[in-house]
Amino acid sequence: MPTTISLGSTGDDVKRLQRVFARHLIWNPFGPITGDFDSGLETAVKSFQQSNGLTVDGIVGPQTWAALPSYREASPEQIGRAHV
């Protein structure tokens, strides 16, 4: 299970969230996946949480992660090749 992330977080779990949201047109990064949890991503998280009956706090914890599509579905890089 990914770690809990929120505004100001950075790293691979943030990139995973960005890929999920971008793939499902929940968020538009207007550029590369950065791994930086900024205010635009926080707004998208809150909207996603509200749409899915979750606590609207902008924090991506276990309940929000569980409501998201799987990582493989969210990452175009996973299609056609294996990652170690």
Side-chain angles (χ1 to χ4, degrees), residues 18 22 27-34:
Q18 290 173 322
W27 170 77
N28 186 343
F30 298 107
I33 300 297
T34 62

Side-chain angles (χ1 to χ4, degrees), residues 9-70:
S9 296
T10 60
D12 289 338
D13 285 335
V14 177
K15 287 180 182 180
R16 175 182 179 216
L17 178 66
Q18 290 173 322
R19 286 185 187 108
V20 170
F21 276 16
R23 174 93 182 228
H24 293 276
L25 305 177
I26 298 168
W27 170 77
N28 186 343
F30 298 107
I33 300 297
T34 62
D36 295 320
F37 198 125
D38 61 13
S39 61
L41 186 58
E42 181 185 44
T43 298
V45 167
K46 288 179 177 179
S47 177
F48 175 82
Q49 289 170 327
Q50 183 172 5
S51 296
N52 287 275
L54 302 168
T55 299
V56 180
D57 57 8
I59 298 169
V60 184
Q63 290 182 334
T64 302
W65 282 119
L68 293 169
S70 75

Side-chain angles (χ1 to χ4, degrees), residues 16 23 69-79 81-83:
R16 175 182 179 216
R23 174 93 182 228
S70 75
Y71 179 70
R72 288 191 178 273
E73 290 176 13
S75 178
E77 294 175 6
Q78 294 292 334
I79 299 171
R81 67 180 201 199
H83 285 292

